Amino acid sequence: MLTAFAYWIRATPLGWAAAGGVVWLGPACLTLHFIGLVLLVGCVFAFDLRLLGVAKGLPVAPLGSLMPWAVLGFLINLTTGLTLLAGNPFQYIDNPAFWLKMLFVVLAGVNVIIYYSTGLARRAAAVASGQDAPFSAKTFAAMSLFLWIGVIYWGRMLLFIGNFF
Amino acid sequence: MELLAALENSAFGAWVRESPSPWAYPGVLFLHTVGLSFLVGLSVAIDLRLLGAARRLPVPPLARFYPVMWMGFGLNALSGVALFAANATTRATNPAFYFKMGFVTLAMIALLMIRRSVVRQSTLGAGLGTLSDRVLAVASLVCWTGVITSGRLMAYFGQG
């Protein structure tokens, strides 16, 4: 099924364009993938570091207003990532680093879902300037930092593990 | 050029380039990306705040992110030197490399100016930054985009 998907996406106009049909598309997507990364992890790390006690003068709730920019970064990376995948699907789906990267992205998402669904987000949002965040919020922040750095690690290892050109 | 060749052929340059150890080229490249995330990521978050995102966020406490950004810069200076040493002759003849270094210099100047005139002396509890704050923030975003773009382009000019 995965193989069928890979053949299908490669055969789409997007796959054709990303495979070199549009010469600059691959390099442009890679560049945008880094810009998306910076937006995503920049806003997320600022939030995580605050919860962990760096820049404690920042009240937590307004810092959360940066999150739409993190979401924008994520959407940029979803789009550019999918485009890169469409151009050379087997280079990714046959590479364990790709699946580990996806696993870490999913775990980072699960971490956020836990944060919101357990009421942790509400408790953290009440943390005012100068106050310490609850231990559970610090655990969430540490997990978030670990998982996103893991995503970066496996993304980089794509080049060195498996059959990447 | 001889100096660059000597650097490239040094034990260190050869180790970064050729060692099968995951701490050699792959590890150094990973650390370069981690440094980027902290340095550029936090800088961009501050720029967005000055441009009006998260307006209720007080600006002065953002100063505490600077030590983290210095660590990111230090990590990238060190990992950058290692990556340069591994392919010194090709990098030194790569025009994109010089563009990248130029943009890094400008971005760091903008970062320092934002820290000195905006974050440290700001009384900005909430609201939009002044016009000059916003000009600096835009300059910072433009320079970091230049750093990332020219960094990526290094892969397509010369031999990396």
Side-chain angles (χ1 to χ4, degrees), chain A residues 27 30-31 34-35 37-39 41-43 45-46 49-50 54-55 57-59 61-63 65-66 69 145 149 152-153 156-157 159-160, chain B residues 22 25-27 29-30 33-34 36-38 40-42 44-45 48-49 53-54 56-59 61-62 64-65 68 145 148-149 152 156:
Chain A
L30 271 173
T31 304
F34 277 87
I35 291 172
L37 170 82
V38 160
L39 269 179
V41 299
C43 296
F45 286 1
L49 288 171
R50 163 59 184 97
V54 181
L58 297 170
L63 195 53
S65 308
L66 280 179
W69 294 93
L145 279 168
I149 291 174
I152 292 170
Y153 179 77
R156 273 312 194 186
M157 289 310 123
L159 277 170
F160 305 104
Chain B
Y25 206 88
L29 201 56
F30 161 64
T33 317
V34 172
L36 166 94
S37 299
F38 282 100
V40 187
L42 292 173
V44 165
L48 290 172
R49 168 62 190 87
R56 288 175 302 123
L57 194 69
V59 170
L62 290 170
R64 293 296 177 92
F65 284 140
V68 182
T145 306
I148 288 174
T149 307
R152 276 308 318 163
Y156 308 101

Short mmCIF file of all heavy atoms in Angstrom, two decimals, chain A residues 27 30-31 34-35 37-39 41-43 45-46 49-50 54-55 57-59 61-63 65-66 69 145 149 152-153 156-157 159-160, chain B residues 22 25-27 29-30 33-34 36-38 40-42 44-45 48-49 53-54 56-59 61-62 64-65 68 145 148-149 152 156:
data_model
loop_
_atom_site.label_atom_id
_atom_site.label_comp_id
_atom_site.label_asym_id
_atom_site.label_seq_id
_atom_site.Cartn_x
_atom_site.Cartn_y
_atom_site.Cartn_z
N PRO A 27 15.29 22.80 -4.39
CA PRO A 27 16.06 23.71 -3.53
C PRO A 27 15.18 24.72 -2.79
O PRO A 27 15.43 25.03 -1.63
CB PRO A 27 16.99 24.43 -4.52
CG PRO A 27 17.13 23.47 -5.67
CD PRO A 27 15.83 22.73 -5.75
N LEU A 30 13.51 22.99 0.16
CA LEU A 30 14.47 22.75 1.25
C LEU A 30 14.73 24.03 2.03
O LEU A 30 14.77 24.02 3.26
CB LEU A 30 15.78 22.20 0.69
CG LEU A 30 15.85 20.68 0.57
CD1 LEU A 30 17.12 20.27 -0.15
CD2 LEU A 30 15.80 20.02 1.95
N THR A 31 14.89 25.14 1.31
CA THR A 31 15.11 26.42 1.98
C THR A 31 13.91 26.79 2.84
O THR A 31 14.05 27.16 4.01
CB THR A 31 15.38 27.52 0.93
OG1 THR A 31 16.48 27.10 0.11
CG2 THR A 31 15.72 28.85 1.58
N PHE A 34 13.61 24.96 6.10
CA PHE A 34 14.41 25.52 7.20
C PHE A 34 13.74 26.77 7.78
O PHE A 34 13.79 27.00 8.99
CB PHE A 34 15.83 25.85 6.73
CG PHE A 34 16.72 24.63 6.76
CD1 PHE A 34 16.79 23.77 5.68
CD2 PHE A 34 17.49 24.34 7.88
CE1 PHE A 34 17.59 22.64 5.72
CE2 PHE A 34 18.30 23.23 7.92
CZ PHE A 34 18.35 22.37 6.83
N ILE A 35 13.12 27.58 6.91
CA ILE A 35 12.43 28.77 7.40
C ILE A 35 11.23 28.35 8.25
O ILE A 35 10.99 28.90 9.34
CB ILE A 35 12.02 29.67 6.20
CG1 ILE A 35 13.30 30.28 5.60
CG2 ILE A 35 11.04 30.76 6.63
CD1 ILE A 35 13.11 31.03 4.30
N LEU A 37 11.02 25.56 9.88
CA LEU A 37 11.61 25.00 11.11
C LEU A 37 11.90 26.10 12.12
O LEU A 37 11.57 25.98 13.31
CB LEU A 37 12.92 24.27 10.77
CG LEU A 37 13.78 23.85 11.97
CD1 LEU A 37 13.29 22.54 12.55
CD2 LEU A 37 15.25 23.74 11.60
N VAL A 38 12.50 27.18 11.65
CA VAL A 38 12.87 28.29 12.54
C VAL A 38 11.62 28.91 13.17
O VAL A 38 11.58 29.18 14.37
CB VAL A 38 13.70 29.32 11.75
CG1 VAL A 38 13.69 30.66 12.45
CG2 VAL A 38 15.12 28.82 11.56
N LEU A 39 10.57 29.11 12.37
CA LEU A 39 9.31 29.66 12.89
C LEU A 39 8.71 28.72 13.93
O LEU A 39 8.33 29.14 15.02
CB LEU A 39 8.30 29.82 11.75
CG LEU A 39 8.25 31.13 11.01
CD1 LEU A 39 7.19 31.05 9.91
CD2 LEU A 39 7.92 32.29 11.95
N VAL A 41 10.09 25.96 15.68
CA VAL A 41 10.82 25.70 16.92
C VAL A 41 11.17 26.99 17.65
O VAL A 41 11.31 26.97 18.87
CB VAL A 41 12.09 24.81 16.72
CG1 VAL A 41 11.71 23.46 16.16
CG2 VAL A 41 13.13 25.50 15.89
N GLY A 42 11.28 28.10 16.94
CA GLY A 42 11.56 29.36 17.62
C GLY A 42 10.46 29.69 18.62
O GLY A 42 10.71 29.95 19.80
N CYS A 43 9.20 29.67 18.14
CA CYS A 43 8.08 29.99 19.02
C CYS A 43 7.89 28.91 20.08
O CYS A 43 7.62 29.22 21.25
CB CYS A 43 6.81 30.17 18.19
SG CYS A 43 6.94 31.58 17.06
N PHE A 45 10.20 26.77 21.32
CA PHE A 45 11.30 26.77 22.30
C PHE A 45 11.18 27.96 23.26
O PHE A 45 11.49 27.83 24.45
CB PHE A 45 12.67 26.80 21.60
CG PHE A 45 13.06 25.49 20.97
CD1 PHE A 45 12.23 24.39 21.01
CD2 PHE A 45 14.29 25.35 20.33
CE1 PHE A 45 12.59 23.18 20.42
CE2 PHE A 45 14.67 24.15 19.74
CZ PHE A 45 13.82 23.06 19.78
N ALA A 46 10.74 29.12 22.75
CA ALA A 46 10.55 30.28 23.62
C ALA A 46 9.55 29.92 24.73
O ALA A 46 9.77 30.19 25.91
CB ALA A 46 10.07 31.49 22.82
N LEU A 49 11.09 27.14 27.09
CA LEU A 49 12.13 27.70 27.96
C LEU A 49 11.49 28.51 29.09
O LEU A 49 11.93 28.45 30.24
CB LEU A 49 13.11 28.56 27.16
CG LEU A 49 14.06 27.79 26.23
CD1 LEU A 49 14.84 28.75 25.32
CD2 LEU A 49 15.05 26.92 27.01
N ARG A 50 10.42 29.27 28.77
CA ARG A 50 9.72 30.02 29.81
C ARG A 50 9.14 29.09 30.87
O ARG A 50 9.29 29.33 32.07
CB ARG A 50 8.60 30.88 29.19
CG ARG A 50 7.56 31.39 30.19
CD ARG A 50 8.19 32.24 31.28
NE ARG A 50 7.26 32.68 32.33
CZ ARG A 50 7.10 32.07 33.50
NH1 ARG A 50 7.77 30.97 33.77
NH2 ARG A 50 6.28 32.56 34.41
N VAL A 54 13.44 29.84 32.29
CA VAL A 54 14.22 30.90 31.64
C VAL A 54 13.24 32.04 31.33
O VAL A 54 12.11 31.77 30.93
CB VAL A 54 14.85 30.37 30.32
CG1 VAL A 54 15.68 31.46 29.64
CG2 VAL A 54 15.69 29.14 30.57
N ALA A 55 13.65 33.28 31.49
CA ALA A 55 12.76 34.43 31.21
C ALA A 55 11.45 34.32 31.97
O ALA A 55 10.36 34.43 31.39
CB ALA A 55 12.51 34.56 29.70
N GLY A 57 10.15 36.29 33.84
CA GLY A 57 9.39 37.55 33.86
C GLY A 57 8.24 37.55 32.87
O GLY A 57 7.35 38.39 32.96
N LEU A 58 8.27 36.61 31.92
CA LEU A 58 7.20 36.57 30.92
C LEU A 58 5.98 35.85 31.48
O LEU A 58 6.10 34.70 31.92
CB LEU A 58 7.69 35.83 29.66
CG LEU A 58 8.86 36.44 28.88
CD1 LEU A 58 9.36 35.45 27.84
CD2 LEU A 58 8.44 37.74 28.22
N PRO A 59 4.81 36.48 31.44
CA PRO A 59 3.60 35.74 31.80
C PRO A 59 3.33 34.69 30.72
O PRO A 59 3.58 34.95 29.54
CB PRO A 59 2.51 36.82 31.82
CG PRO A 59 3.05 37.94 31.00
CD PRO A 59 4.54 37.86 31.04
N ALA A 61 0.46 33.11 29.54
CA ALA A 61 -0.69 33.20 28.61
C ALA A 61 -0.39 34.03 27.35
O ALA A 61 -0.63 33.55 26.24
CB ALA A 61 -1.92 33.73 29.33
N PRO A 62 0.16 35.25 27.46
CA PRO A 62 0.41 36.02 26.23
C PRO A 62 1.49 35.40 25.34
O PRO A 62 1.48 35.61 24.14
CB PRO A 62 0.87 37.40 26.73
CG PRO A 62 0.81 37.38 28.19
CD PRO A 62 0.44 36.03 28.67
N LEU A 63 2.42 34.63 25.97
CA LEU A 63 3.44 33.96 25.16
C LEU A 63 2.78 32.94 24.23
O LEU A 63 3.25 32.68 23.12
CB LEU A 63 4.46 33.29 26.09
CG LEU A 63 5.78 32.83 25.52
CD1 LEU A 63 6.50 33.96 24.78
CD2 LEU A 63 6.68 32.28 26.61
N SER A 65 0.27 33.38 22.59
CA SER A 65 -0.22 34.05 21.37
C SER A 65 0.77 33.97 20.22
O SER A 65 0.45 34.35 19.10
CB SER A 65 -0.52 35.53 21.65
OG SER A 65 -1.35 35.64 22.78
N LEU A 66 1.98 33.49 20.50
CA LEU A 66 2.94 33.28 19.40
C LEU A 66 2.65 31.98 18.65
O LEU A 66 3.19 31.76 17.56
CB LEU A 66 4.38 33.22 19.95
CG LEU A 66 5.10 34.53 20.27
CD1 LEU A 66 6.49 34.23 20.82
CD2 LEU A 66 5.21 35.41 19.03
N TRP A 69 2.09 31.36 14.88
CA TRP A 69 3.29 31.41 14.04
C TRP A 69 3.98 30.06 14.00
O TRP A 69 4.55 29.68 12.97
CB TRP A 69 4.23 32.51 14.52
CG TRP A 69 3.62 33.85 14.32
CD1 TRP A 69 2.89 34.56 15.22
CD2 TRP A 69 3.63 34.61 13.11
NE1 TRP A 69 2.45 35.73 14.65
CE2 TRP A 69 2.88 35.79 13.37
CE3 TRP A 69 4.19 34.41 11.84
CZ2 TRP A 69 2.69 36.77 12.39
CZ3 TRP A 69 4.00 35.39 10.87
CH2 TRP A 69 3.25 36.55 11.15
N LEU A 145 11.02 20.03 24.03
CA LEU A 145 12.38 20.33 23.57
C LEU A 145 13.07 19.07 23.05
O LEU A 145 13.66 19.07 21.97
CB LEU A 145 13.21 20.90 24.73
CG LEU A 145 13.03 22.39 25.04
CD1 LEU A 145 13.69 22.73 26.37
CD2 LEU A 145 13.64 23.24 23.93
N ILE A 149 14.06 18.49 19.06
CA ILE A 149 15.48 18.32 18.74
C ILE A 149 15.68 16.94 18.09
O ILE A 149 16.47 16.78 17.16
CB ILE A 149 16.36 18.53 19.99
CG1 ILE A 149 16.31 20.02 20.38
CG2 ILE A 149 17.81 18.09 19.74
CD1 ILE A 149 17.01 20.37 21.69
N ILE A 152 14.79 17.19 14.48
CA ILE A 152 15.92 17.77 13.75
C ILE A 152 17.01 16.72 13.52
O ILE A 152 17.56 16.60 12.43
CB ILE A 152 16.49 18.99 14.53
CG1 ILE A 152 15.46 20.13 14.54
CG2 ILE A 152 17.82 19.45 13.93
CD1 ILE A 152 15.83 21.27 15.48
N TYR A 153 17.27 15.92 14.57
CA TYR A 153 18.31 14.89 14.46
C TYR A 153 17.98 13.89 13.34
O TYR A 153 18.80 13.66 12.45
CB TYR A 153 18.46 14.14 15.80
CG TYR A 153 19.50 13.06 15.74
CD1 TYR A 153 20.86 13.38 15.78
CD2 TYR A 153 19.14 11.72 15.60
CE1 TYR A 153 21.82 12.39 15.70
CE2 TYR A 153 20.10 10.72 15.52
CZ TYR A 153 21.44 11.06 15.57
OH TYR A 153 22.39 10.08 15.48
N ARG A 156 18.24 15.35 9.87
CA ARG A 156 19.62 15.44 9.40
C ARG A 156 20.17 14.06 9.02
O ARG A 156 20.91 13.93 8.05
CB ARG A 156 20.51 16.06 10.50
CG ARG A 156 20.54 17.57 10.45
CD ARG A 156 20.80 18.06 9.06
NE ARG A 156 21.15 19.47 9.00
CZ ARG A 156 21.31 20.15 7.87
NH1 ARG A 156 21.09 19.56 6.71
NH2 ARG A 156 21.66 21.41 7.88
N MET A 157 19.77 13.03 9.80
CA MET A 157 20.30 11.69 9.54
C MET A 157 19.76 11.08 8.25
O MET A 157 20.32 10.11 7.74
CB MET A 157 20.00 10.75 10.73
CG MET A 157 20.81 11.07 11.97
SD MET A 157 22.59 11.25 11.65
CE MET A 157 22.88 12.91 12.26
N LEU A 159 20.24 12.11 5.46
CA LEU A 159 21.32 12.20 4.49
C LEU A 159 22.35 11.10 4.66
O LEU A 159 23.10 10.78 3.74
CB LEU A 159 22.07 13.53 4.67
CG LEU A 159 21.51 14.77 4.01
CD1 LEU A 159 22.26 15.98 4.50
CD2 LEU A 159 21.65 14.64 2.50
N PHE A 160 22.44 10.56 5.87
CA PHE A 160 23.58 9.67 6.19
C PHE A 160 23.18 8.23 6.43
O PHE A 160 24.01 7.36 6.57
CB PHE A 160 24.31 10.23 7.43
CG PHE A 160 24.74 11.64 7.25
CD1 PHE A 160 24.05 12.67 7.88
CD2 PHE A 160 25.83 11.97 6.43
CE1 PHE A 160 24.45 13.99 7.70
CE2 PHE A 160 26.21 13.26 6.24
CZ PHE A 160 25.52 14.30 6.88
N PRO B 22 29.39 8.68 13.94
CA PRO B 22 28.21 9.55 13.84
C PRO B 22 28.47 10.95 14.42
O PRO B 22 27.68 11.87 14.19
CB PRO B 22 27.14 8.81 14.64
CG PRO B 22 27.88 7.86 15.50
CD PRO B 22 29.15 7.52 14.80
N TYR B 25 30.93 14.25 10.55
CA TYR B 25 30.11 15.13 9.72
C TYR B 25 28.62 15.15 10.09
O TYR B 25 28.06 16.23 10.31
CB TYR B 25 30.30 14.79 8.24
CG TYR B 25 30.02 15.98 7.34
CD1 TYR B 25 31.01 16.89 7.03
CD2 TYR B 25 28.74 16.19 6.84
CE1 TYR B 25 30.75 18.00 6.23
CE2 TYR B 25 28.47 17.29 6.04
CZ TYR B 25 29.48 18.18 5.74
OH TYR B 25 29.21 19.27 4.97
N PRO B 26 27.98 13.98 10.22
CA PRO B 26 26.54 14.01 10.56
C PRO B 26 26.27 14.71 11.89
O PRO B 26 25.34 15.53 11.98
CB PRO B 26 26.15 12.53 10.65
CG PRO B 26 27.20 11.81 9.86
CD PRO B 26 28.46 12.60 10.01
N GLY B 27 27.08 14.42 12.91
CA GLY B 27 26.87 15.01 14.22
C GLY B 27 27.09 16.51 14.21
O GLY B 27 26.33 17.28 14.83
N LEU B 29 26.81 18.52 11.64
CA LEU B 29 25.72 19.14 10.88
C LEU B 29 24.44 19.23 11.73
O LEU B 29 23.72 20.23 11.70
CB LEU B 29 25.46 18.33 9.61
CG LEU B 29 24.75 19.03 8.46
CD1 LEU B 29 25.48 20.30 8.04
CD2 LEU B 29 24.65 18.08 7.27
N PHE B 30 24.20 18.18 12.52
CA PHE B 30 23.05 18.18 13.45
C PHE B 30 23.20 19.32 14.46
O PHE B 30 22.26 20.10 14.67
CB PHE B 30 22.97 16.82 14.15
CG PHE B 30 22.15 16.82 15.41
CD1 PHE B 30 20.79 17.11 15.38
CD2 PHE B 30 22.75 16.54 16.64
CE1 PHE B 30 20.04 17.12 16.56
CE2 PHE B 30 22.00 16.54 17.81
CZ PHE B 30 20.66 16.84 17.77
N THR B 33 22.39 22.65 13.16
CA THR B 33 20.95 22.89 13.02
C THR B 33 20.31 23.18 14.38
O THR B 33 19.37 23.98 14.47
CB THR B 33 20.27 21.68 12.34
OG1 THR B 33 21.09 21.24 11.26
CG2 THR B 33 18.91 22.06 11.80
N VAL B 34 20.83 22.53 15.44
CA VAL B 34 20.32 22.82 16.80
C VAL B 34 20.66 24.27 17.17
O VAL B 34 19.81 25.01 17.68
CB VAL B 34 20.90 21.83 17.83
CG1 VAL B 34 20.55 22.25 19.25
CG2 VAL B 34 20.40 20.42 17.55
N LEU B 36 21.17 26.72 15.13
CA LEU B 36 20.28 27.55 14.31
C LEU B 36 18.92 27.70 14.96
O LEU B 36 18.37 28.80 15.05
CB LEU B 36 20.11 26.90 12.92
CG LEU B 36 18.98 27.43 12.04
CD1 LEU B 36 19.47 28.51 11.11
CD2 LEU B 36 18.32 26.33 11.24
N SER B 37 18.38 26.59 15.46
CA SER B 37 17.05 26.61 16.05
C SER B 37 16.98 27.56 17.23
O SER B 37 16.02 28.32 17.36
CB SER B 37 16.64 25.21 16.49
OG SER B 37 16.63 24.36 15.38
N PHE B 38 17.98 27.50 18.11
CA PHE B 38 17.94 28.35 19.30
C PHE B 38 18.27 29.80 18.95
O PHE B 38 17.57 30.72 19.38
CB PHE B 38 18.90 27.81 20.38
CG PHE B 38 18.31 26.65 21.13
CD1 PHE B 38 18.67 25.35 20.81
CD2 PHE B 38 17.37 26.85 22.12
CE1 PHE B 38 18.12 24.27 21.49
CE2 PHE B 38 16.80 25.78 22.81
CZ PHE B 38 17.18 24.48 22.48
N VAL B 40 18.43 31.51 15.81
CA VAL B 40 17.52 32.16 14.86
C VAL B 40 16.08 32.05 15.34
O VAL B 40 15.31 33.01 15.22
CB VAL B 40 17.69 31.57 13.45
CG1 VAL B 40 16.87 32.36 12.44
CG2 VAL B 40 19.16 31.56 13.04
N GLY B 41 15.73 30.90 15.90
CA GLY B 41 14.35 30.70 16.37
C GLY B 41 13.94 31.74 17.39
O GLY B 41 12.91 32.41 17.23
N LEU B 42 14.76 31.92 18.44
CA LEU B 42 14.41 32.89 19.49
C LEU B 42 14.48 34.31 18.96
O LEU B 42 13.65 35.16 19.30
CB LEU B 42 15.31 32.71 20.71
CG LEU B 42 15.10 31.40 21.47
CD1 LEU B 42 16.15 31.22 22.56
CD2 LEU B 42 13.71 31.33 22.08
N VAL B 44 13.84 35.27 15.92
CA VAL B 44 12.62 35.48 15.12
C VAL B 44 11.40 35.67 16.02
O VAL B 44 10.55 36.53 15.75
CB VAL B 44 12.42 34.28 14.14
CG1 VAL B 44 11.02 34.27 13.55
CG2 VAL B 44 13.46 34.34 13.02
N ALA B 45 11.34 34.92 17.11
CA ALA B 45 10.22 35.08 18.05
C ALA B 45 10.21 36.51 18.61
O ALA B 45 9.14 37.15 18.70
CB ALA B 45 10.31 34.05 19.18
N LEU B 48 9.03 38.90 15.88
CA LEU B 48 7.58 38.84 15.70
C LEU B 48 6.87 39.64 16.78
O LEU B 48 5.91 40.37 16.50
CB LEU B 48 7.10 37.37 15.73
CG LEU B 48 7.50 36.50 14.54
CD1 LEU B 48 7.12 35.04 14.80
CD2 LEU B 48 6.82 36.98 13.26
N ARG B 49 7.38 39.53 18.02
CA ARG B 49 6.78 40.31 19.12
C ARG B 49 6.88 41.81 18.83
O ARG B 49 5.91 42.56 19.03
CB ARG B 49 7.47 39.97 20.44
CG ARG B 49 7.15 40.91 21.60
CD ARG B 49 5.67 40.88 21.94
NE ARG B 49 5.27 41.93 22.89
CZ ARG B 49 4.91 43.16 22.55
NH1 ARG B 49 4.89 43.52 21.28
NH2 ARG B 49 4.55 44.03 23.46
N ALA B 53 3.08 40.68 17.06
CA ALA B 53 2.52 39.39 17.49
C ALA B 53 2.57 39.33 19.01
O ALA B 53 3.45 39.92 19.63
CB ALA B 53 3.34 38.24 16.89
N ALA B 54 1.65 38.61 19.61
CA ALA B 54 1.59 38.44 21.08
C ALA B 54 1.75 39.79 21.78
O ALA B 54 2.60 39.97 22.65
CB ALA B 54 2.67 37.46 21.54
N ARG B 56 0.33 41.39 24.07
CA ARG B 56 0.21 41.56 25.52
C ARG B 56 1.47 41.09 26.25
O ARG B 56 1.56 41.17 27.47
CB ARG B 56 -1.03 40.82 26.03
CG ARG B 56 -2.35 41.51 25.61
CD ARG B 56 -3.55 40.69 26.02
NE ARG B 56 -3.50 39.35 25.41
CZ ARG B 56 -3.54 38.21 26.12
NH1 ARG B 56 -3.64 38.23 27.42
NH2 ARG B 56 -3.48 37.06 25.49
N LEU B 57 2.42 40.58 25.50
CA LEU B 57 3.65 40.05 26.11
C LEU B 57 4.61 41.20 26.43
O LEU B 57 4.99 41.95 25.53
CB LEU B 57 4.31 39.08 25.12
CG LEU B 57 5.42 38.19 25.68
CD1 LEU B 57 4.85 37.17 26.65
CD2 LEU B 57 6.14 37.47 24.54
N PRO B 58 5.01 41.36 27.71
CA PRO B 58 5.97 42.43 28.03
C PRO B 58 7.34 42.14 27.37
O PRO B 58 7.78 40.99 27.33
CB PRO B 58 6.07 42.38 29.55
CG PRO B 58 5.58 41.03 29.94
CD PRO B 58 4.62 40.58 28.89
N VAL B 59 7.97 43.18 26.85
CA VAL B 59 9.21 43.00 26.10
C VAL B 59 10.47 42.81 26.98
O VAL B 59 11.29 41.94 26.68
CB VAL B 59 9.40 44.16 25.09
CG1 VAL B 59 10.78 44.14 24.46
CG2 VAL B 59 8.33 44.07 23.99
N PRO B 61 11.42 41.24 29.72
CA PRO B 61 11.88 39.91 30.16
C PRO B 61 12.46 39.06 29.02
O PRO B 61 13.14 38.06 29.27
CB PRO B 61 10.63 39.25 30.74
CG PRO B 61 9.66 40.34 30.97
CD PRO B 61 9.98 41.42 29.98
N LEU B 62 12.19 39.44 27.76
CA LEU B 62 12.75 38.69 26.63
C LEU B 62 14.27 38.72 26.65
O LEU B 62 14.93 37.88 26.03
CB LEU B 62 12.24 39.26 25.30
CG LEU B 62 10.75 39.05 24.98
CD1 LEU B 62 10.35 39.88 23.76
CD2 LEU B 62 10.46 37.57 24.71
N ARG B 64 16.19 37.76 28.79
CA ARG B 64 16.73 36.52 29.35
C ARG B 64 16.95 35.43 28.31
O ARG B 64 17.58 34.42 28.59
CB ARG B 64 15.78 35.97 30.44
CG ARG B 64 15.70 36.85 31.66
CD ARG B 64 17.07 36.91 32.35
NE ARG B 64 17.05 37.80 33.50
CZ ARG B 64 16.77 37.39 34.74
NH1 ARG B 64 16.49 36.13 34.97
NH2 ARG B 64 16.77 38.25 35.72
N PHE B 65 16.40 35.61 27.11
CA PHE B 65 16.63 34.62 26.05
C PHE B 65 18.00 34.82 25.39
O PHE B 65 18.48 33.94 24.69
CB PHE B 65 15.54 34.70 24.98
CG PHE B 65 14.23 34.08 25.40
CD1 PHE B 65 13.02 34.67 25.07
CD2 PHE B 65 14.21 32.89 26.12
CE1 PHE B 65 11.81 34.10 25.46
CE2 PHE B 65 13.01 32.30 26.52
CZ PHE B 65 11.80 32.92 26.19
N VAL B 68 20.75 32.23 25.93
CA VAL B 68 20.47 31.02 25.16
C VAL B 68 20.88 31.23 23.70
O VAL B 68 21.47 30.35 23.06
CB VAL B 68 18.97 30.63 25.25
CG1 VAL B 68 18.70 29.34 24.49
CG2 VAL B 68 18.53 30.49 26.70
N THR B 145 16.69 35.24 6.89
CA THR B 145 16.24 34.57 5.66
C THR B 145 17.42 34.46 4.69
O THR B 145 17.60 33.43 4.03
CB THR B 145 15.08 35.35 5.01
OG1 THR B 145 14.05 35.53 6.00
CG2 THR B 145 14.50 34.62 3.82
N ILE B 148 19.80 31.65 5.87
CA ILE B 148 19.29 30.30 5.58
C ILE B 148 19.34 30.02 4.09
O ILE B 148 19.78 28.95 3.65
CB ILE B 148 17.85 30.16 6.12
CG1 ILE B 148 17.88 30.09 7.66
CG2 ILE B 148 17.16 28.93 5.54
CD1 ILE B 148 16.53 30.09 8.32
N THR B 149 18.94 31.00 3.29
CA THR B 149 18.90 30.79 1.84
C THR B 149 20.31 30.60 1.28
O THR B 149 20.56 29.65 0.52
CB THR B 149 18.21 31.98 1.14
OG1 THR B 149 16.94 32.18 1.75
CG2 THR B 149 18.02 31.72 -0.34
N ARG B 152 21.70 27.22 2.29
CA ARG B 152 21.17 26.15 1.44
C ARG B 152 21.83 26.18 0.06
O ARG B 152 22.15 25.14 -0.50
CB ARG B 152 19.65 26.29 1.26
CG ARG B 152 18.79 25.71 2.34
CD ARG B 152 19.07 24.29 2.69
NE ARG B 152 19.32 23.45 1.53
CZ ARG B 152 19.90 22.26 1.58
NH1 ARG B 152 20.31 21.76 2.73
NH2 ARG B 152 20.07 21.56 0.49
N TYR B 156 24.59 23.99 -3.82
CA TYR B 156 24.43 23.96 -5.28
C TYR B 156 25.53 24.69 -6.03
O TYR B 156 25.63 24.59 -7.24
CB TYR B 156 23.06 24.52 -5.66
CG TYR B 156 21.94 23.87 -4.91
CD1 TYR B 156 21.34 24.49 -3.82
CD2 TYR B 156 21.51 22.58 -5.25
CE1 TYR B 156 20.33 23.87 -3.10
CE2 TYR B 156 20.50 21.95 -4.54
CZ TYR B 156 19.92 22.60 -3.47
OH TYR B 156 18.93 21.99 -2.76
#
